Amino acid sequence: MGLPELKQELYSIFNVNGSVLALQQSGAVFLCVDSSYCVSVYDMENLTLQTSTVVSKDAQTPHRHSNACSISPNKLLCIPLIGNKEGLILQYDEKFKRRGQITEHESDIESSVFSPNGRYCVTGGQDGKVFIYDTERFLAIGSLIPRADYIYTLHFSKDSELLACGGFDKSVVVFDMVQNKRRCTIPTPDVVEEMSFCDNNQKLYMILRNGASFLYDVIKKETVSIENLFSMWPSALAISPDERFAVVGARGDSIYIVNLHSNMRMLEFKIELPGVSKIYFHNHLLFLGATDGNVFVIEYQKGEKELEEAVKNKKYRIARDMIENNLFLSIHPLMKVFDEDWPEILDKAIELLNNKQINEAVELVNPFIYDQTKAREFDFYLMQQEPVRKFAELTKNKEYIKAYDMTVTTKFLVNTFTYTELENAWNKAFMQAKKLLEENPTLNIKKADSILKPFESSVKKELIAQLLKNCSVFSQAENLIKARNFSGYFSLINQYGFLRDTELFKKVSILGDRNMAEMLALEQEGQFERAEELAKFLQVFPSLKRSCTERLIIIQQKRRLLTAIEIDNITQAYAIVEEYKILRSMPQFREFTQKFEIVFEKAKNHALSGHPKSTLQTFGEYVQIPFWIDRIASLLKTAYIHEIENKIHDGGINWTLTLHRFIERFGKDDMLQALVHKYGLEAELESINEEGNYVGYRTFKFVDEIVIFLLEKE
């Protein structure tokens, strides 16, 4: 059976001059860059072409799957010119104008990206170098430690705080833009083709050239899963606006939909294109850019309202028809009703099968078996009609021992509704016997034994023996729970392990889980006092003790942090967050950091003008805060570079001391290398034998000026 195809009424097509390399909506227009260096501008409402401009006729044609070009939400464009190691910066405002040029790379620019907040443009080159530019002046304000091979793909988190850099060296570096330091390095089995952050920027989803789908937790710094999901070389991806799924395109006509929670393929279908080069979401539209210049605009939510109505009224057949009209609806959250109602539908189908009403059973489940898991499950019961029927008859005829014996040999029976009825019968008998034994164990022992007799040789025999021998223990457990003495109850559990097999233990466990969920919700809402009370209560639950103890510590530190923020004690506030990094996500702390961002913007103006002393003075007491040291150092490095540029024409610079002072703080950094190449200072740099340290500023103090002259100037 072939793959399904997307129906033509779901999409429209427009065409550009070459392979689609960048797509971006901005206000009322939609921008597209293709491999012929043509920038096309479309009206967003009806996708009609407004204007198109070829920005270069001489540069080499980029690869049809190149990641070099990028567009910002505020209509800035970075278009590297292949073959001359430079990048052109344009801005569109009814017409195109040149904003700047990127010249720092020693080889061609292989990738570029704009931050969602519009503050940064980042480029990665074949030289393994990554430069960070300020989008006001398009001057370099930072760089990453160079890599051994091409930087192939770059991606920002939605909040612009994390930058992922993937290279041909089969690794991805996640860089913290807030603190200006490496968050983690992720080794990958093959080169990462594309990637995107998801799960509130806590995870990084990557597609690899070998067909792997890779999900990584950047908070825990561990792999979530790697699955080989793609039969063809994956080439492009985009995350849905609600971050439920990823759309992955390949170098062929297959489109894959991947569940971002489980990292499993949800859907695969075909569309008439030679290969996908770019994918982009905007509201209810999904754009697929192809290597032949076609852009497919898909209404992936079409029919959603009709589906909602059908689901609301439990009209499964109509809902199923909606799915057939739009494949994307099969993965819609509304379809959870098919999962929620499936157990009940399956039980009814099993009952029909037991009554030999096979056609009716098949008709009943038909709207559900678009899901292969459900189809396999029903087929299993269809093939097992006799065991299911026999199990139901045994339970109905109160032949409980034989019924329980069947669950040992035919394990799928525990998933049936009949098994629930069997367990209810057992619990009822158990409670009746226990009550009799509590009233008068000597007088009622025979009555209790008679009630439990239908179960005596089943899997319940051990619990029956314990009840008849230790009835007081069961009563004691019940009394402890009634008195809410959970500590005493769990001590009793440790002493008498058979109590774990009782219905009471199940109920207590459910109570603990519910309270745990409530505690986490209270913490999330900022109700720390109540959350702390619940956490202390839950510490007596053995299965929850460790996690509750950890939450208690975090809650207490959150309260400390809020106090420090309230009194504006920046030293204490940042020290707490340095120790408990999880607190960085607190809204109050994120708001608190905006004070630094305001100072940073003021300091940046001094740095870009080449005045390190003024830059330091502007930062003030923040210079002493370890949390910000790497970010401040990055800007001071920029200030020193521009200071050298400002003074280089004065002559008389002591290059040995000047370069030495820079290198001992920042090493032979990319920005220094670019400056040396620009002004022909290679010999002066080569005379410095030491390589320095990229984080040497943590040892050597910042200086007001980096330039040392041969003679003191008057």
Side-chain angles (χ1 to χ4, degrees):
M1 183 176 174
L3 291 175
E5 295 188 7
L6 199 66
K7 294 195 173 182
Q8 288 188 359
E9 56 264 30
L10 282 178
Y11 63 84
S12 58
I13 304 174
F14 64 86
N15 186 270
V16 294
N17 295 343
S19 181
V20 179
L21 301 186
L23 297 168
Q24 177 68 52
Q25 176 271 336
S26 182
V29 300
F30 186 81
L31 299 168
C32 176
V33 179
D34 64 54
S35 57
S36 69
Y37 293 105
C38 180
V39 184
S40 303
V41 182
Y42 292 83
D43 179 270
M44 193 64 234
E45 186 174 346
N46 51 28
L47 294 176
T48 55
L49 182 65
Q50 289 186 343
T51 184
S52 63
T53 301
V54 175
V55 300
S56 176
K57 295 181 180 179
D58 301 323
Q60 297 175 20
T61 303
H63 190 276
R64 63 183 183 277
H65 288 284
S66 171
N67 291 319
C69 299
S70 59
I71 312 171
S72 80
N74 54 347
K75 304 175 188 174
L76 287 168
L77 300 94
C78 177
I79 304 178
L81 304 176
I82 306 303
N84 67 3
K85 310 174 187 178
E86 295 182 354
L88 188 62
I89 303 296
L90 302 175
Q91 182 156 21
Y92 177 75
D93 188 8
E94 296 188 356
K95 62 180 182 178
F96 291 99
K97 63 179 180 180
R98 184 167 175 161
R99 282 286 308 277
Q101 193 161 357
I102 292 171
T103 59
E104 280 75 14
H105 286 280
E106 296 176 359
S107 302
D108 280 339
I109 296 171
E110 190 77 13
S111 56
S112 70
V113 67
F114 286 91
S115 62
N117 63 11
R119 292 177 63 182
Y120 307 109
C121 175
V122 181
T123 59
Q126 293 180 6
D127 53 8
K129 296 180 179 181
V130 175
F131 289 99
I132 302 169
Y133 299 89
D134 164 74
T135 55
E136 289 182 10
R137 306 189 196 182
F138 277 96
L139 296 174
I141 59 169
S143 62
L144 275 61
I145 296 175
R147 306 265 283 278
D149 216 327
Y150 289 20
I151 304 299
Y152 185 69
T153 180
L154 298 163
H155 192 82
F156 269 102
S157 58
K158 283 186 177 180
D159 59 11
S160 303
E161 293 188 0
L162 296 176
L163 171 68
C165 309
F168 271 36
D169 59 359
K170 297 182 182 179
S171 71
V172 172
V173 170
V174 178
F175 188 74
D176 188 327
M177 295 291 291
V178 175
Q179 290 189 275
N180 201 77
K181 65 181 182 181
R182 185 177 297 197
R183 176 74 67 87
C184 60
T185 300
I186 309 168
T188 57
D190 204 341
V191 175
V192 172
E193 187 75 17
E194 269 282 19
M195 56 189 168
S196 184
F197 288 93
C198 59
D199 192 14
N200 198 28
N201 303 317
Q202 294 186 41
K203 295 184 178 68
L204 184 65
Y205 177 67
M206 298 164 274
I207 54 173
L208 277 57
R209 291 190 171 186
N210 64 357
S213 176
F214 192 172
L215 192 60
Y216 186 87
D217 192 314
V218 297
I219 303 298
K220 296 179 180 178
K221 299 180 182 179
E222 62 184 26
T223 297
V224 177
S225 71
I226 303 179
E227 302 289 342
N228 292 313
L229 301 185
F230 314 118
S231 56
M232 302 188 71
W233 185 336
S235 56
L237 81 86
I239 303 291
S240 65
D242 58 8
E243 297 192 354
R244 286 188 304 112
F245 61 90
V247 178
V248 177
R251 297 194 178 191
D253 58 0
S254 287
I255 304 295
Y256 304 88
I257 311 296
V258 179
N259 185 312
L260 288 173
H261 175 72
S262 62
N263 192 24
M264 296 300 292
R265 189 167 62 205
M266 303 168 74
L267 183 66
E268 180 183 356
F269 62 90
K270 287 186 177 293
I271 193 165
E272 293 183 5
L273 42 72
V276 182
S277 52
K278 279 293 173 288
I279 305 178
Y280 178 74
F281 274 100
H282 173 64
N283 293 338
H284 65 288
L285 299 177
L286 171 65
F287 294 80
L288 299 179
T291 55
D292 62 356
N294 282 322
V295 180
F296 288 72
V297 186
I298 301 169
E299 296 182 72
Y300 75 99
Q301 292 179 326
K302 189 172 184 178
E304 185 178 297
K305 290 183 179 179
E306 293 86 347
L307 176 66
E308 185 176 0
E309 184 68 22
V311 165
K312 181 180 178 181
N313 295 305
K314 305 289 186 181
K315 295 182 178 179
Y316 304 117
R317 170 58 65 184
I318 294 175
R320 182 73 182 92
D321 290 342
M322 296 303 304
I323 294 169
E324 290 180 356
N325 290 330
N326 181 2
L327 292 170
F328 282 91
L329 293 181
S330 66
I331 60 172
H332 195 283
L334 287 168
M335 295 304 293
K336 68 180 180 181
V337 72
F338 278 72
D339 294 324
E340 294 168 350
D341 293 357
W342 173 242
E344 182 182 347
I345 295 295
L346 182 59
D347 283 333
K348 289 179 180 178
I350 291 170
E351 186 177 346
L352 289 169
L353 290 173
N354 291 338
N355 294 324
K356 305 298 183 182
Q357 295 175 276
I358 297 176
N359 290 335
E360 290 82 352
V362 171
E363 181 66 22
L364 179 65
V365 302
N366 187 261
F368 291 80
I369 59 174
Y370 71 92
D371 182 333
Q372 291 185 2
T373 301
K374 295 181 178 66
R376 284 194 295 267
E377 192 173 357
F378 175 69
D379 285 348
F380 180 78
Y381 287 110
L382 190 62
M383 300 296 292
Q384 302 286 336
Q385 290 182 64
E386 181 57 27
V388 176
R389 183 192 60 75
K390 184 178 179 182
F391 182 58
E393 286 180 359
L394 290 172
T395 302
K396 183 178 180 181
N397 296 330
K398 299 184 179 181
E399 296 183 63
Y400 299 133
I401 295 173
K402 291 181 179 179
Y404 272 116
D405 286 347
M406 283 194 71
T407 65
V408 175
T409 56
T410 313
K411 295 187 183 298
F412 75 87
L413 293 172
V414 299
N415 297 319
T416 65
F417 181 73
T418 301
Y419 181 76
T420 303
E421 293 179 331
L422 178 62
E423 282 285 271
N424 289 340
W426 154 252
N427 288 322
K428 183 178 179 181
F430 182 84
M431 295 306 294
Q432 286 178 341
K434 186 169 77 69
K435 185 177 181 181
L436 286 168
L437 292 170
E438 287 172 344
E439 291 173 354
N440 192 324
T442 304
L443 185 63
N444 293 332
I445 184 71
K446 289 185 178 180
K447 289 182 181 179
D449 187 53
S450 176
I451 291 170
L452 296 170
K453 193 171 185 62
F455 302 91
E456 66 179 354
S457 297
S458 71
V459 292
K460 305 295 185 182
K461 62 184 178 182
E462 178 62 25
L463 203 55
I464 291 171
Q466 294 295 346
L467 176 63
L468 296 174
K469 186 169 61 174
N470 298 299
C471 178
S472 61
V473 173
F474 292 91
S475 300
Q476 186 182 354
E478 202 167 82
N479 291 333
L480 286 168
I481 293 302
K482 285 179 180 178
R484 296 189 65 78
N485 184 351
F486 291 93
S487 179
Y489 173 74
F490 285 113
S491 294
L492 194 66
I493 289 283
N494 289 335
Q495 190 176 354
Y496 300 100
F498 56 81
L499 291 174
R500 290 188 175 87
D501 297 325
T502 64
E503 187 69 14
L504 180 62
F505 183 77
K506 293 178 184 176
K507 290 179 179 179
V508 171
S509 299
I510 291 171
L511 175 68
D513 292 340
R514 286 176 179 170
N515 276 273
M516 184 71 176
E518 183 183 354
M519 183 269 288
L520 293 171
L522 288 168
E523 181 190 345
Q524 190 70 24
E525 293 166 6
Q527 299 184 45
F528 299 129
E529 189 172 339
R530 177 65 182 135
E532 198 169 336
E533 289 175 8
L534 267 180
K536 288 177 180 177
F537 160 67
L538 290 170
Q539 279 184 305
V540 302
F541 286 66
S543 62
L544 303 175
K545 182 176 181 179
R546 181 176 178 179
S547 57
C548 283
T549 301
E550 291 173 352
R551 293 321 304 172
L552 265 176
I553 294 171
I554 295 300
I555 290 168
Q556 290 163 0
Q557 295 306 320
K558 282 184 175 181
R559 296 176 76 170
R560 282 186 63 218
L561 176 59
L562 290 179
T563 300
I565 289 173
E566 188 177 344
I567 62 175
D568 201 28
N569 186 335
I570 67 170
T571 301
Q572 185 181 26
Y574 285 111
I576 293 170
V577 174
E578 274 285 89
E579 185 175 359
Y580 299 94
K581 292 179 172 53
I582 193 173
L583 302 186
R584 278 185 60 170
S585 61
M586 283 183 69
Q588 296 91 337
F589 178 71
R590 293 172 75 92
E591 185 179 347
F592 187 64
T593 61
Q594 292 309 303
K595 294 182 179 180
F596 173 82
E597 295 297 341
I598 292 170
V599 172
F600 183 87
E601 287 301 311
K602 293 178 180 177
K604 184 178 70 176
N605 291 328
H606 294 301
L608 293 175
S609 298
H611 300 130
K613 183 176 181 179
S614 299
T615 305
L616 279 169
Q617 290 173 341
T618 303
F619 278 123
E621 60 182 325
Y622 282 111
V623 175
Q624 307 302 322
I625 306 297
F627 183 91
W628 292 118
I629 186 65
D630 298 296
R631 181 92 176 273
I632 291 171
S634 178
L635 201 56
L636 260 296
K637 178 177 67 176
T638 300
Y640 294 142
I641 290 291
H642 287 292
E643 181 201 352
I644 294 172
E645 282 197 296
N646 290 345
K647 296 177 178 179
I648 197 168
H649 300 293
D650 294 350
I653 293 177
N654 186 327
W655 287 111
T656 300
L657 289 179
T658 298
L659 293 176
H660 176 77
R661 294 178 91 190
F662 187 98
I663 291 168
E664 68 182 0
R665 287 166 177 79
F666 305 104
K668 292 184 177 179
D669 178 82
D670 291 345
M671 292 177 70
L672 180 65
Q673 297 274 8
L675 180 140
V676 163
H677 179 73
K678 181 177 180 180
Y679 292 102
L681 300 170
E682 288 86 354
E684 286 81 353
L685 184 61
E686 289 174 7
S687 68
I688 309 293
N689 294 324
E690 61 186 294
E691 289 298 319
N693 188 341
Y694 285 100
V695 291
Y697 52 81
R698 296 178 185 174
T699 303
F700 296 94
K701 290 183 178 181
F702 298 123
V703 292
D704 289 344
E705 295 179 339
I706 203 74
V707 174
I708 301 292
F709 288 95
L710 291 170
L711 297 173
E712 286 293 329
K713 291 195 170 188
E714 297 182 2

